[in-house]
Coordinates of all heavy atoms in Angstrom, one line a residue:
M1 N 0.8 -1.2 0.0 CA 0.0 0.0 0.0 C 0.9 1.2 0.0 O 1.9 1.4 0.7 CB -0.9 0.0 1.2 CG -1.7 1.3 1.4 SD -2.8 1.2 2.8 CE -1.7 1.8 4.0
I2 N 0.5 2.2 -0.9 CA 1.2 3.5 -0.9 C 0.2 4.5 -0.3 O -0.9 4.5 -0.6 CB 1.5 3.9 -2.3 CG1 2.6 2.9 -2.9 CG2 2.2 5.3 -2.4 CD1 2.8 3.0 -4.4
S3 N 0.8 5.3 0.6 CA 0.0 6.4 1.2 C 0.7 7.7 1.2 O 1.9 7.7 1.5 CB -0.3 5.9 2.7 OG -1.1 6.9 3.3
R4 N 0.1 8.8 0.9 CA 0.7 10.0 0.9 C -0.3 11.1 1.4 O -1.5 10.9 1.2 CB 1.3 10.4 -0.4 CG 0.2 10.4 -1.5 CD 0.8 10.3 -2.9 NE 1.8 11.3 -3.2 CZ 2.3 11.4 -4.4 NH1 1.9 10.6 -5.4 NH2 3.1 12.4 -4.6
R5 N 0.2 12.1 2.0 CA -0.7 13.1 2.6 C -0.5 14.4 1.8 O 0.6 14.8 1.4 CB -0.3 13.4 4.1 CG -0.8 12.3 4.9 CD -0.7 12.5 6.3 NE -1.3 11.3 7.0 CZ -1.7 11.3 8.2 NH1 -1.4 12.4 9.1 NH2 -2.2 10.3 8.7
L6 N -1.7 15.0 1.5 CA -1.7 16.2 0.6 C -2.3 17.3 1.3 O -3.4 17.3 1.8 CB -2.5 15.9 -0.7 CG -2.2 14.7 -1.4 CD1 -3.2 14.3 -2.5 CD2 -0.7 14.7 -2.1
D7 N -1.6 18.5 1.3 CA -2.2 19.8 1.7 C -3.0 20.4 0.6 O -2.4 20.9 -0.4 CB -1.1 20.7 2.2 CG -1.6 22.0 2.7 OD1 -2.9 22.3 2.6 OD2 -0.8 22.8 3.3
L8 N -4.3 20.4 0.7 CA -5.2 20.9 -0.4 C -5.9 22.2 0.1 O -6.9 22.6 -0.5 CB -6.2 19.9 -0.7 CG -5.6 18.5 -1.2 CD1 -6.7 17.5 -1.6 CD2 -4.6 18.8 -2.4
S9 N -5.1 22.9 1.0 CA -5.8 24.2 1.4 C -6.0 25.2 0.4 O -6.9 26.1 0.4 CB -5.0 24.8 2.6 OG -3.7 25.0 2.2
E10 N -5.2 25.2 -0.8 CA -5.3 26.1 -1.8 C -6.1 25.6 -3.0 O -6.2 26.3 -4.0 CB -3.9 26.5 -2.2 CG -3.0 26.9 -1.2 CD -2.5 28.3 -1.2 OE1 -2.4 28.8 -2.3 OE2 -2.2 28.9 -0.1
L11 N -6.8 24.4 -2.8 CA -7.5 23.8 -4.0 C -9.0 24.3 -3.8 O -9.7 23.9 -2.9 CB -7.4 22.3 -3.9 CG -8.2 21.5 -5.1 CD1 -7.5 21.9 -6.4 CD2 -8.2 20.1 -4.8
P12 N -9.5 25.1 -4.8 CA -10.8 25.5 -4.8 C -11.8 24.5 -5.2 O -11.4 23.5 -5.9 CB -10.9 26.7 -5.8 CG -9.8 26.4 -6.8 CD -8.7 25.6 -6.0
V13 N -13.1 24.7 -4.9 CA -14.1 23.8 -5.4 C -14.1 23.9 -7.0 O -13.9 25.0 -7.5 CB -15.5 24.3 -4.9 CG1 -16.6 23.5 -5.6 CG2 -15.6 24.1 -3.4
D14 N -14.1 22.7 -7.6 CA -14.1 22.5 -9.0 C -12.6 22.6 -9.6 O -12.4 22.6 -10.8 CB -15.0 23.3 -9.8 CG -16.4 23.0 -9.5 OD1 -16.8 21.8 -9.0 OD2 -17.4 23.8 -9.8
G15 N -11.7 22.9 -8.7 CA -10.2 23.0 -9.1 C -9.7 21.6 -9.3 O -10.1 20.6 -8.8
I16 N -8.7 21.5 -10.2 CA -7.9 20.3 -10.5 C -6.4 20.6 -10.2 O -5.9 21.6 -10.6 CB -8.0 19.8 -11.9 CG1 -9.4 19.4 -12.2 CG2 -7.0 18.7 -12.3 CD1 -9.7 19.2 -13.7
R17 N -5.8 19.7 -9.4 CA -4.4 19.8 -9.1 C -3.7 18.5 -9.5 O -4.1 17.4 -9.0 CB -4.1 20.1 -7.6 CG -2.6 20.1 -7.3 CD -2.3 20.3 -6.0 NE -2.7 21.5 -5.4 CZ -2.7 21.8 -4.1 NH1 -2.1 20.9 -3.2 NH2 -3.1 22.9 -3.7
P18 N -2.7 18.5 -10.4 CA -1.9 17.3 -10.6 C -1.1 16.9 -9.3 O -0.5 17.9 -8.8 CB -1.0 17.7 -11.7 CG -1.5 18.9 -12.3 CD -2.3 19.6 -11.2
V19 N -1.1 15.7 -9.0 CA -0.3 15.3 -7.8 C 1.1 14.7 -8.3 O 2.1 15.0 -7.7 CB -1.0 14.1 -7.1 CG1 -0.2 13.5 -6.0 CG2 -2.3 14.7 -6.5
D20 N 1.1 14.0 -9.4 CA 2.3 13.5 -10.0 C 1.9 13.1 -11.5 O 0.8 13.5 -12.1 CB 2.9 12.3 -9.3 CG 1.8 11.2 -9.1 OD1 0.9 11.0 -10.0 OD2 2.0 10.4 -8.1
G21 N 2.7 12.4 -12.1 CA 2.5 12.0 -13.6 C 1.3 11.1 -13.8 O 0.9 10.9 -14.9
R22 N 0.8 10.5 -12.7 CA -0.3 9.5 -12.9 C -1.6 9.9 -12.2 O -2.6 9.3 -12.5 CB 0.1 8.2 -12.2 CG 1.3 7.5 -12.8 CD 1.8 6.3 -12.0 NE 0.9 5.7 -11.1 CZ 0.3 4.5 -11.4 NH1 0.6 3.8 -12.5 NH2 -0.5 3.9 -10.5
T23 N -1.6 10.9 -11.3 CA -2.8 11.2 -10.5 C -3.0 12.7 -10.4 O -2.1 13.4 -10.3 CB -2.6 10.6 -9.1 OG1 -2.2 9.3 -9.2 CG2 -3.8 10.7 -8.2
C24 N -4.3 13.0 -10.4 CA -4.8 14.4 -10.1 C -5.8 14.4 -8.9 O -6.3 13.3 -8.6 CB -5.5 15.0 -11.3 SG -4.4 15.4 -12.7
V25 N -6.0 15.5 -8.3 CA -7.1 15.6 -7.3 C -8.0 16.8 -7.6 O -7.6 17.7 -8.4 CB -6.6 15.8 -5.9 CG1 -5.8 14.6 -5.5 CG2 -5.7 17.0 -5.8
S26 N -9.3 16.7 -7.2 CA -10.2 17.7 -7.4 C -11.1 17.8 -6.2 O -11.5 16.8 -5.6 CB -11.0 17.5 -8.7 OG -11.9 18.6 -8.8
R27 N -11.5 19.0 -5.8 CA -12.4 19.2 -4.8 C -13.8 19.5 -5.4 O -13.9 20.4 -6.3 CB -12.1 20.4 -3.9 CG -13.0 20.6 -2.7 CD -12.6 22.0 -2.0 NE -11.3 22.2 -1.7 CZ -10.8 21.7 -0.5 NH1 -11.4 21.2 0.4 NH2 -9.4 22.1 -0.3
T28 N -14.9 18.8 -4.9 CA -16.2 19.0 -5.4 C -17.1 19.3 -4.1 O -16.7 19.2 -3.0 CB -16.8 17.8 -6.1 OG1 -17.1 16.8 -5.1 CG2 -15.8 17.2 -7.1
A29 N -18.3 19.6 -4.4 CA -19.3 19.9 -3.2 C -19.4 18.5 -2.5 O -19.8 18.6 -1.3 CB -20.6 20.4 -3.7
A30 N -19.2 17.4 -3.0 CA -19.5 16.1 -2.5 C -18.2 15.5 -1.8 O -18.2 14.4 -1.3 CB -20.0 15.1 -3.5
G31 N -17.1 16.2 -1.9 CA -15.9 15.7 -1.3 C -14.6 16.0 -2.2 O -14.7 16.6 -3.3
V32 N -13.5 15.4 -1.7 CA -12.3 15.5 -2.6 C -11.9 14.2 -3.2 O -12.0 13.2 -2.5 CB -11.1 16.0 -1.7 CG1 -9.8 16.0 -2.4 CG2 -11.4 17.4 -1.2
F33 N -11.6 14.2 -4.4 CA -11.4 12.9 -5.2 C -10.1 12.9 -5.9 O -9.6 14.0 -6.4 CB -12.5 12.7 -6.2 CG -13.9 12.5 -5.6 CD1 -14.7 13.6 -5.4 CD2 -14.3 11.2 -5.3 CE1 -16.0 13.5 -4.8 CE2 -15.6 11.0 -4.7 CZ -16.4 12.3 -4.4
A34 N -9.4 11.8 -5.8 CA -8.2 11.6 -6.7 C -8.7 10.8 -8.0 O -9.7 10.2 -7.9 CB -7.2 10.7 -6.0
F35 N -8.1 11.1 -9.0 CA -8.4 10.4 -10.3 C -7.2 10.2 -11.2 O -6.3 11.0 -11.1 CB -9.6 11.0 -11.0 CG -9.3 12.5 -11.4 CD1 -8.8 12.8 -12.6 CD2 -9.6 13.5 -10.5 CE1 -8.5 14.1 -13.0 CE2 -9.3 14.9 -10.9 CZ -8.8 15.2 -12.1
A36 N -7.3 9.2 -12.1 CA -6.2 8.9 -12.9 C -5.9 10.1 -13.8 O -6.9 10.7 -14.3 CB -6.5 7.7 -13.8
R37 N -4.7 10.5 -14.1 CA -4.4 11.6 -14.9 C -4.6 11.4 -16.4 O -4.9 12.3 -17.1 CB -2.9 12.0 -14.6 CG -2.6 13.3 -15.3 CD -1.4 13.9 -14.7 NE -1.0 15.2 -15.5 CZ -0.1 16.0 -15.1 NH1 0.7 15.7 -14.0 NH2 0.2 17.1 -15.8
R38 N -4.6 10.1 -16.9 CA -4.7 9.7 -18.3 C -6.2 9.4 -18.5 O -6.7 8.5 -17.8 CB -3.8 8.6 -18.6 CG -2.3 9.0 -18.6 CD -2.0 10.1 -19.7 NE -0.8 10.8 -19.4 CZ -0.4 11.9 -20.0 NH1 -1.2 12.4 -20.9 NH2 0.7 12.5 -19.7
C39 N -6.7 10.0 -19.5 CA -8.2 9.8 -19.8 C -8.3 8.3 -20.4 O -7.5 7.9 -21.2 CB -8.6 10.7 -20.9 SG -10.3 10.5 -21.4
P40 N -9.2 7.5 -19.9 CA -9.4 6.1 -20.4 C -9.9 6.0 -21.8 O -10.0 5.0 -22.4 CB -10.4 5.5 -19.4 CG -11.2 6.7 -18.9 CD -10.2 7.8 -18.9
H41 N -10.3 7.2 -22.4 CA -10.8 7.2 -23.8 C -9.6 7.1 -24.7 O -9.5 6.2 -25.5 CB -11.7 8.4 -24.1 CG -12.1 8.4 -25.5 ND1 -11.9 9.6 -26.3 CD2 -12.8 7.5 -26.3 CE1 -12.4 9.3 -27.6 NE2 -12.9 8.2 -27.5
A42 N -8.7 8.1 -24.8 CA -7.6 8.2 -25.7 C -6.4 8.8 -25.0 O -5.6 9.4 -25.8 CB -8.1 8.9 -27.0
D43 N -6.3 8.7 -23.7 CA -5.0 9.0 -23.1 C -4.7 10.5 -22.9 O -3.5 10.8 -22.6 CB -3.8 8.3 -23.7 CG -2.7 7.9 -22.8 OD1 -3.0 7.7 -21.6 OD2 -1.6 8.0 -23.2
A44 N -5.6 11.4 -23.1 CA -5.4 12.8 -22.9 C -5.1 13.1 -21.4 O -5.5 12.3 -20.6 CB -6.6 13.6 -23.3
D45 N -4.4 14.2 -21.2 CA -4.0 14.6 -19.8 C -5.2 15.2 -19.2 O -5.6 16.4 -19.5 CB -2.8 15.5 -19.8 CG -2.3 15.8 -18.4 OD1 -2.9 15.5 -17.5 OD2 -1.1 16.4 -18.4
L46 N -5.8 14.5 -18.1 CA -7.0 15.1 -17.5 C -6.7 16.3 -16.6 O -7.6 17.0 -16.0 CB -7.7 14.0 -16.8 CG -8.4 12.9 -17.7 CD1 -8.9 11.8 -16.9 CD2 -9.5 13.6 -18.5
A47 N -5.4 16.6 -16.3 CA -5.1 17.8 -15.6 C -5.5 19.0 -16.4 O -5.7 20.1 -15.8 CB -3.6 17.9 -15.4
N48 N -5.8 18.9 -17.7 CA -6.2 19.9 -18.5 C -7.8 20.0 -18.7 O -8.4 20.8 -19.3 CB -5.6 19.9 -20.0 CG -4.1 20.0 -19.9 OD1 -3.6 20.7 -19.1 ND2 -3.5 19.1 -20.7
G49 N -8.5 19.1 -18.0 CA -9.9 19.1 -18.0 C -10.5 20.1 -17.1 O -9.8 21.0 -16.6
Y50 N -11.9 20.0 -16.9 CA -12.5 20.9 -15.9 C -13.7 20.1 -15.3 O -14.2 19.1 -15.7 CB -13.0 22.1 -16.7 CG -13.9 21.8 -17.9 CD1 -15.2 21.8 -17.8 CD2 -13.3 21.6 -19.2 CE1 -16.0 21.6 -18.9 CE2 -14.1 21.3 -20.3 CZ -15.4 21.4 -20.2 OH -16.2 21.1 -21.3
V51 N -14.0 20.6 -14.1 CA -14.9 19.9 -13.2 C -16.0 20.9 -13.0 O -15.9 22.1 -12.6 CB -14.3 19.6 -11.9 CG1 -15.3 19.0 -10.9 CG2 -13.1 18.6 -12.1
T52 N -17.3 20.4 -13.0 CA -18.5 21.1 -12.6 C -19.5 20.1 -12.0 O -19.6 19.0 -12.6 CB -19.2 21.8 -13.8 OG1 -19.4 20.9 -14.8 CG2 -18.4 23.0 -14.3
D53 N -20.1 20.4 -10.9 CA -21.1 19.6 -10.3 C -20.7 18.1 -10.1 O -21.5 17.2 -10.3 CB -22.4 19.6 -11.1 CG -23.0 21.0 -11.0 OD1 -22.8 21.8 -10.1 OD2 -23.7 21.4 -12.1
G54 N -19.5 17.9 -9.7 CA -18.9 16.5 -9.4 C -18.6 15.7 -10.7 O -18.3 14.5 -10.6
W55 N -18.6 16.3 -11.8 CA -18.3 15.7 -13.1 C -17.0 16.3 -13.7 O -16.9 17.5 -13.8 CB -19.4 15.8 -14.1 CG -20.6 15.0 -13.8 CD1 -21.5 15.2 -12.9 CD2 -20.9 13.7 -14.4 NE1 -22.5 14.2 -12.9 CE2 -22.1 13.2 -13.8 CE3 -20.3 12.9 -15.4 CZ2 -22.7 12.0 -14.1 CZ3 -20.9 11.7 -15.7 CH2 -22.0 11.2 -15.1
L56 N -16.2 15.4 -14.1 CA -14.9 15.8 -14.8 C -15.1 15.7 -16.3 O -15.6 14.7 -16.8 CB -13.8 14.9 -14.3 CG -12.4 15.0 -15.1 CD1 -11.7 16.3 -15.0 CD2 -11.6 13.8 -14.8
R57 N -14.7 16.7 -17.0 CA -14.8 16.6 -18.5 C -13.4 16.7 -19.0 O -12.6 17.5 -18.7 CB -15.6 17.8 -19.1 CG -17.1 17.6 -19.0 CD -17.9 18.5 -19.9 NE -19.2 18.2 -19.8 CZ -19.9 17.4 -20.6 NH1 -19.3 16.7 -21.6 NH2 -21.2 17.1 -20.4
C58 N -13.1 15.7 -20.0 CA -11.8 15.7 -20.6 C -11.8 16.8 -21.6 O -12.7 17.1 -22.4 CB -11.6 14.4 -21.3 SG -10.1 14.2 -22.2
A59 N -10.6 17.6 -21.7 CA -10.5 18.7 -22.6 C -10.4 18.3 -24.1 O -10.5 19.1 -25.0 CB -9.3 19.6 -22.2
W60 N -10.1 17.0 -24.3 CA -9.8 16.6 -25.7 C -11.1 16.3 -26.5 O -11.4 17.0 -27.4 CB -8.9 15.4 -25.7 CG -8.3 15.1 -27.1 CD1 -8.5 15.8 -28.3 CD2 -7.3 14.1 -27.5 NE1 -7.8 15.2 -29.3 CE2 -7.1 14.2 -28.8 CE3 -6.6 13.2 -26.8 CZ2 -6.1 13.4 -29.5 CZ3 -5.7 12.4 -27.4 CH2 -5.5 12.5 -28.7
H61 N -11.9 15.3 -26.0 CA -13.1 15.1 -26.8 C -14.4 15.3 -25.9 O -15.4 15.0 -26.3 CB -13.2 13.5 -27.1 CG -12.0 13.1 -28.0 ND1 -11.0 12.3 -27.5 CD2 -11.6 13.5 -29.2 CE1 -10.1 12.0 -28.5 NE2 -10.5 12.9 -29.6
N62 N -14.1 15.9 -24.7 CA -15.2 16.5 -23.9 C -16.1 15.4 -23.2 O -17.2 15.6 -22.9 CB -16.0 17.4 -24.7 CG -16.7 18.5 -23.8 OD1 -16.2 18.8 -22.8 ND2 -17.9 18.8 -24.2
L63 N -15.6 14.1 -23.2 CA -16.3 13.1 -22.5 C -16.4 13.4 -21.0 O -15.4 13.7 -20.4 CB -15.8 11.7 -22.7 CG -15.9 11.2 -24.1 CD1 -15.3 9.8 -24.2 CD2 -17.4 11.1 -24.5
P64 N -17.6 13.2 -20.3 CA -17.6 13.4 -18.8 C -17.5 12.1 -18.1 O -17.8 11.0 -18.6 CB -19.1 14.0 -18.7 CG -19.8 13.2 -19.8 CD -18.9 13.0 -20.9
F65 N -16.9 12.3 -16.9 CA -16.8 11.1 -16.0 C -17.2 11.7 -14.6 O -16.7 12.7 -14.1 CB -15.3 10.7 -15.8 CG -14.7 10.2 -17.2 CD1 -14.1 11.1 -18.0 CD2 -14.9 8.9 -17.5 CE1 -13.6 10.7 -19.2 CE2 -14.4 8.4 -18.7 CZ -13.7 9.3 -19.6
E66 N -18.1 10.9 -13.9 CA -18.6 11.2 -12.6 C -17.4 10.9 -11.6 O -16.9 9.8 -11.5 CB -19.7 10.5 -12.2 CG -20.4 10.9 -10.9 CD -21.6 10.1 -10.6 OE1 -21.7 8.9 -10.9 OE2 -22.5 10.7 -10.1
L67 N -16.9 11.9 -10.9 CA -15.7 11.7 -10.0 C -16.1 10.7 -8.9 O -15.1 10.0 -8.3 CB -15.2 13.0 -9.4 CG -14.5 13.8 -10.4 CD1 -14.2 15.2 -9.9 CD2 -13.2 13.1 -10.8
S68 N -17.3 10.6 -8.4 CA -17.6 9.6 -7.3 C -17.6 8.2 -7.8 O -17.4 7.3 -6.9 CB -19.0 10.0 -6.7 OG -20.0 9.8 -7.6
S69 N -17.8 7.9 -9.1 CA -17.8 6.6 -9.5 C -16.8 6.2 -10.6 O -16.5 5.0 -10.9 CB -19.2 6.3 -10.0 OG -19.4 7.0 -11.2
G70 N -16.4 7.2 -11.3 CA -15.5 7.0 -12.5 C -16.2 6.7 -13.8 O -15.6 6.5 -14.8
L71 N -17.5 6.6 -13.6 CA -18.4 6.2 -14.8 C -18.8 7.4 -15.7 O -18.9 8.5 -15.1 CB -19.6 5.4 -14.3 CG -19.3 4.1 -13.6 CD1 -20.6 3.6 -13.1 CD2 -18.6 3.2 -14.6
G72 N -19.1 7.2 -16.9 CA -19.6 8.2 -17.8 C -20.7 7.7 -18.6 O -21.1 6.5 -18.4
P73 N -21.4 8.4 -19.4 CA -22.5 8.0 -20.1 C -22.2 7.1 -21.3 O -23.0 6.3 -21.8 CB -23.2 9.2 -20.7 CG -22.1 10.2 -20.7 CD -21.2 9.9 -19.5
C74 N -21.0 7.0 -21.7 CA -20.5 6.2 -22.9 C -20.0 4.8 -22.3 O -18.9 4.8 -21.7 CB -19.4 6.9 -23.6 SG -19.0 5.9 -25.1
T75 N -20.8 3.8 -22.4 CA -20.4 2.6 -21.8 C -19.3 1.8 -22.5 O -18.7 0.8 -22.0 CB -21.6 1.6 -21.8 OG1 -22.1 1.4 -23.1 CG2 -22.7 2.1 -20.9
S76 N -18.8 2.3 -23.7 CA -17.7 1.7 -24.4 C -16.4 2.3 -23.9 O -15.3 1.7 -24.3 CB -17.8 1.9 -25.9 OG -17.7 3.2 -26.2
V77 N -16.4 3.3 -23.1 CA -15.2 3.8 -22.6 C -15.0 3.3 -21.2 O -15.9 3.2 -20.4 CB -15.3 5.4 -22.4 CG1 -14.1 6.0 -21.8 CG2 -15.4 6.0 -23.9
P78 N -13.8 2.7 -20.9 CA -13.5 2.2 -19.6 C -13.7 3.1 -18.5 O -13.6 4.4 -18.7 CB -12.1 1.7 -19.6 CG -11.8 1.6 -21.1 CD -12.6 2.6 -21.7
R79 N -14.1 2.7 -17.3 CA -14.2 3.4 -16.1 C -12.9 4.2 -15.8 O -11.8 3.7 -15.9 CB -14.6 2.6 -14.9 CG -14.7 3.2 -13.5 CD -15.0 2.2 -12.5 NE -14.8 2.7 -11.1 CZ -13.6 2.7 -10.6 NH1 -12.6 2.1 -11.1 NH2 -13.5 3.3 -9.4
L80 N -13.1 5.5 -15.4 CA -11.9 6.2 -14.9 C -11.6 5.9 -13.4 O -12.5 5.8 -12.6 CB -12.3 7.8 -15.0 CG -11.2 8.7 -14.4 CD1 -10.0 8.8 -15.2 CD2 -11.8 10.1 -14.2
W81 N -10.3 5.6 -13.1 CA -10.0 5.3 -11.8 C -10.2 6.5 -10.9 O -9.6 7.6 -11.3 CB -8.5 4.8 -11.6 CG -8.1 4.6 -10.2 CD1 -8.2 3.3 -9.6 CD2 -7.5 5.5 -9.3 NE1 -7.8 3.4 -8.3 CE2 -7.3 4.8 -8.1 CE3 -7.2 6.8 -9.3 CZ2 -6.7 5.4 -7.0 CZ3 -6.6 7.4 -8.2 CH2 -6.4 6.7 -7.0
T82 N -11.0 6.4 -9.9 CA -11.2 7.5 -8.9 C -11.1 7.0 -7.5 O -11.3 5.8 -7.2 CB -12.5 8.2 -9.1 OG1 -13.6 7.4 -8.9 CG2 -12.7 8.8 -10.6
R83 N -10.9 7.9 -6.5 CA -10.9 7.5 -5.1 C -11.2 8.7 -4.4 O -10.7 9.8 -4.6 CB -9.6 6.9 -4.7 CG -9.4 6.9 -3.3 CD -8.7 5.8 -2.7 NE -9.1 4.5 -3.3 CZ -8.2 3.5 -3.4 NH1 -7.0 3.5 -3.1 NH2 -8.7 2.3 -3.9
R84 N -12.2 8.5 -3.4 CA -12.5 9.6 -2.4 C -11.4 9.7 -1.5 O -11.0 8.7 -0.8 CB -13.9 9.3 -1.8 CG -14.3 10.5 -0.8 CD -15.6 10.1 0.0 NE -16.7 9.9 -0.9 CZ -17.5 10.9 -1.2 NH1 -17.4 12.1 -0.8 NH2 -18.5 10.7 -2.0
L85 N -10.9 10.9 -1.2 CA -9.8 11.1 -0.2 C -10.4 11.3 1.2 O -11.5 11.9 1.3 CB -9.0 12.2 -0.6 CG -8.3 12.1 -1.9 CD1 -7.2 13.2 -2.1 CD2 -7.6 10.8 -2.1
T86 N -9.7 10.8 2.2 CA -10.1 11.0 3.6 C -9.3 12.2 4.2 O -8.1 12.4 4.0 CB -9.7 9.8 4.4 OG1 -10.4 8.6 3.8 CG2 -10.1 9.9 5.8
M87 N -10.0 13.1 4.8 CA -9.4 14.3 5.5 C -8.9 13.8 6.8 O -9.6 13.3 7.6 CB -10.4 15.4 5.7 CG -9.7 16.7 6.2 SD -10.6 18.2 6.0 CE -11.9 17.9 7.2
V88 N -7.6 13.9 7.1 CA -7.0 13.5 8.3 C -6.6 14.6 9.3 O -6.2 14.3 10.4 CB -5.7 12.6 8.0 CG1 -6.1 11.3 7.2 CG2 -4.7 13.4 7.2
A89 N -6.6 15.8 8.8 CA -6.4 16.9 9.6 C -7.0 18.1 8.8 O -7.3 18.0 7.5 CB -4.9 17.2 9.8
P90 N -7.2 19.3 9.4 CA -7.7 20.4 8.6 C -7.0 20.6 7.2 O -5.8 20.9 7.2 CB -7.7 21.6 9.4 CG -7.7 21.0 10.8 CD -6.9 19.7 10.7
E91 N -7.7 20.4 6.1 CA -7.3 20.5 4.7 C -6.0 19.6 4.4 O -5.5 19.8 3.3 CB -6.8 22.0 4.4 CG -8.0 22.9 4.5 CD -9.1 22.6 3.5 OE1 -8.8 22.1 2.4 OE2 -10.2 22.9 3.8
I92 N -5.8 18.6 5.1 CA -4.9 17.6 4.8 C -5.6 16.3 4.5 O -6.3 15.8 5.3 CB -3.8 17.3 6.0 CG1 -3.2 18.6 6.4 CG2 -2.8 16.2 5.6 CD1 -2.3 19.3 5.4
Y93 N -5.4 15.8 3.3 CA -6.1 14.6 2.8 C -5.0 13.5 2.6 O -3.9 13.7 2.2 CB -6.8 14.9 1.5 CG -8.0 15.8 1.7 CD1 -7.9 17.2 1.9 CD2 -9.3 15.3 1.9 CE1 -8.9 18.0 2.1 CE2 -10.3 16.1 2.1 CZ -10.2 17.5 2.2 OH -11.2 18.3 2.5
E94 N -5.6 12.2 2.8 CA -4.7 11.0 2.6 C -5.1 10.3 1.4 O -6.3 10.0 1.2 CB -4.7 10.1 3.8 CG -3.8 9.0 3.8 CD -3.6 8.3 5.1 OE1 -4.5 7.7 5.5 OE2 -2.5 8.5 5.7
L95 N -4.1 10.0 0.6 CA -4.3 9.2 -0.7 C -3.7 7.9 -0.5 O -2.5 7.8 -0.3 CB -3.8 10.0 -1.8 CG -3.8 9.3 -3.2 CD1 -5.1 8.9 -3.7 CD2 -3.0 10.1 -4.2
T96 N -4.5 6.8 -0.6 CA -3.9 5.5 -0.5 C -4.2 4.7 -1.7 O -5.2 4.9 -2.4 CB -4.4 4.7 0.7 OG1 -5.8 4.5 0.6 CG2 -4.1 5.5 2.0
T97 N -3.5 3.7 -2.0 CA -3.7 2.8 -3.2 C -4.1 1.5 -2.8 O -4.1 0.6 -3.7 CB -2.4 2.8 -4.1 OG1 -1.3 2.2 -3.3 CG2 -2.1 4.1 -4.7
E98 N -4.4 1.2 -1.5 CA -4.8 -0.1 -1.1 C -6.1 -0.5 -1.7 O -7.0 0.3 -2.0 CB -5.0 -0.1 0.5 CG -5.2 -1.4 1.0 CD -5.4 -1.4 2.6 OE1 -5.6 -0.3 3.1 OE2 -5.1 -2.5 3.1
G99 N -6.2 -1.7 -2.0 CA -7.5 -2.3 -2.6 C -7.5 -2.0 -4.1 O -6.8 -2.6 -5.0
D100 N -8.3 -1.0 -4.5 CA -8.6 -0.7 -5.9 C -7.4 0.2 -6.4 O -7.5 1.4 -6.6 CB -9.9 0.2 -5.9 CG -10.3 0.5 -7.3 OD1 -9.8 -0.2 -8.3 OD2 -11.0 1.4 -7.5
A101 N -6.3 -0.5 -6.5 CA -5.1 0.2 -7.0 C -5.2 0.9 -8.4 O -5.9 0.3 -9.3 CB -3.8 -0.6 -7.0
Q102 N -4.7 2.0 -8.6 CA -4.7 2.7 -9.9 C -3.9 1.9 -10.9 O -2.9 1.5 -10.6 CB -4.2 4.1 -9.8 CG -4.3 4.9 -11.1 CD -3.7 6.3 -11.0 OE1 -3.4 6.8 -9.9 NE2 -3.6 6.9 -12.1
P103 N -4.5 1.6 -12.1 CA -3.8 0.9 -13.1 C -2.6 1.7 -13.6 O -2.5 2.9 -13.5 CB -4.8 0.7 -14.2 CG -5.9 1.7 -13.9 CD -5.9 2.0 -12.5
Ligands
FES201 S1 -9.2 11.6 -24.7 FE1 -10.5 12.1 -23.1 S2 -12.4 12.2 -24.1 FE2 -11.1 11.5 -25.6

């Protein structure tokens, strides 16, 4: 299991922050989520996408993915890896890869 703590005090609602080359995080009204940085449709960098109402849209072909589930309306596109982050201290969130590890 890999675990890291992130200070997200400067991350606004609907903002996207790249964590590293594989993972981004976003804050929504429903919580803070990590998600795979590469789009499951055609590998675009989702750090360039945008978030509204809990949905992430890829900037390349504009497909949406629900951050709470990783699913989108197009069933032929694989699920986006997502994970709800746990707040462990004020504005400090823990990201773990235990269980549903990011591909
Ligand atoms: S690469 Fe993301 S929607 Fe096509």
Side-chain angles (χ1 to χ4, degrees):
M1 177 179 81
I2 297 171
S3 178
R4 59 204 298 188
R5 292 189 172 195
L6 307 169
D7 179 350
L8 301 179
S9 57
E10 310 239 338
L11 181 65
V13 172
D14 294 342
I16 294 174
R17 178 189 294 174
V19 173
D20 56 30
R22 294 170 27 106
T23 307
C24 292
V25 294
S26 181
R27 183 191 307 274
T28 74
V32 175
F33 296 89
F35 56 93
R37 189 163 175 173
R38 294 292 163 193
C39 180
H41 177 235
D43 210 32
D45 187 351
L46 291 171
N48 298 321
Y50 53 96
V51 174
T52 53
D53 296 329
W55 287 78
L56 166 69
R57 279 194 180 269
C58 178
W60 194 355
H61 303 110
N62 207 33
L63 288 179
F65 299 92
E66 187 178 39
L67 284 173
S68 62
S69 68
L71 297 173
C74 185
T75 56
S76 64
V77 175
R79 175 185 166 270
L80 174 70
W81 179 88
T82 66
R83 166 142 314 150
R84 181 185 297 272
L85 299 188
T86 303
M87 189 166 67
V88 294
E91 293 303 328
I92 305 297
Y93 289 82
E94 186 165 71
L95 170 61
T96 64
T97 58
E98 185 175 26
D100 183 20
Q102 181 181 350

